[in-house]
Amino acid sequence: MGRIMLIAGNWKMNGSRAGAVNFVQALAALNLVPRPEYALLICPPATLIGQMAAPLAELGVRIGGQDCHQDPNGAFTGDISASMLADLGCGYVIVGHSERRALHGETDHMVRAKARAALAAGLTPIICVGETWAEREAGRAAAVVSAQLEGSVPDGVDPMRLVVAYEPVWAIGSGRAATVDDIAAMHRVIRAGFGGKCGDPEGGLILYGGSVKPSNAAEILALDLVDGALIGGASLEAADFMAIVDAAAA
Ligand code: PGA
């Protein structure tokens, strides 16, 4: 495995200041040894980024946001820009998560604009794509994901900063991850589109997300075309997150 894996936690709208302290302490107690073969990332809610950035950095763990606005600043009440995340020490931001697409009406066009804003602010966007169960049942999963990829990923992106997370909507938070065969097949579809996006078919990273947990992480992360994971529920506990990290190293 030549490329560096990215193991990323997405805390969604979970976590408190006290809980963040406990998480960092628990991670430190697990004697996290930074390894060159993978990068670790936590994306807590925006309220905790300022508090967690320095202690996570001390442990060699990167920090990112869960969403950003497409503009650098302005009259957008409640929104946060990519440059604000960069200012807090973020290196990454998740964009186009299916919860944002479904619950906030985000389109591919908006996701692409957010990804562009992230890149302009010096962040690496983690661009999420994934089909619903109905789309998979209808045999349209590959077509849906290809269209999302085409619409959401900016053209000409630096291969070093291209990260796509394949997250089947039905696998998120359901406890039912996609099968390794389905993951491998979809990652092949996504990688086939990378040449056109970044000029390097071998460049960029493709993460899998959706019910990744300590018990299934090893078989998923062992797949050739899987370059890491985006982990929701199982990233909230330091021990579970580290068990997944250990699976990546195995
Ligand atoms: P999950 O969430 O690991 O809880 O399924 C993944 C995600 O939404 O990124």
Side-chain angles (χ1 to χ4, degrees), residues 20-21 24-25 27-28 49-61 63:
V21 170
V24 171
Q25 279 174 354
L27 214 50
I49 293 172
Q51 175 188 330
M52 294 183 78
L56 282 179
E58 261 176 49
L59 296 176
V61 178
I63 195 158

Side-chain angles (χ1 to χ4, degrees), residues 44-164:
T47 51
L48 297 176
I49 293 172
Q51 175 188 330
M52 294 183 78
L56 282 179
E58 261 176 49
L59 296 176
V61 178
R62 304 172 190 195
I63 195 158
Q66 297 177 11
D67 178 46
C68 66
H69 195 274
Q70 59 267 36
D71 285 318
N73 47 52
F76 303 105
T77 302
D79 280 314
I80 295 173
S81 71
S83 55
M84 290 172 179
L85 293 174
D87 191 40
L88 282 174
C90 289
Y92 296 79
V93 60
I94 299 167
V95 293
H97 190 281
S98 72
E99 286 150 16
R100 305 266 345 152
R101 290 177 185 264
L103 304 173
H104 294 263
E106 292 191 6
T107 61
D108 287 337
H109 183 78
M110 290 164 71
V111 175
R112 181 194 285 238
K114 289 179 177 213
R116 276 219 188 88
L119 291 163
L123 302 181
T124 296
I126 298 174
I127 304 170
C128 300
V129 295
E131 81 287 354
T132 63
W133 183 249
E135 288 163 342
R136 173 159 289 272
E137 286 274 272
R140 295 179 45 231
V144 166
V145 167
S146 296
Q148 286 177 339
L149 192 71
E150 182 50 36
S152 305
V153 179
D155 293 323
V157 49
D158 176 349
M160 296 300 289
R161 291 170 65 204
L162 172 58
V163 182
V164 166

Side-chain angles (χ1 to χ4, degrees), residues 10 12 97-99 167 171-175 209-212 230-234:
N10 170 14
K12 309 191 180 184
H97 190 281
S98 72
E99 286 150 16
E167 298 206 302
I172 294 174
S174 66
S211 295
V212 176
L230 184 55
I231 306 148

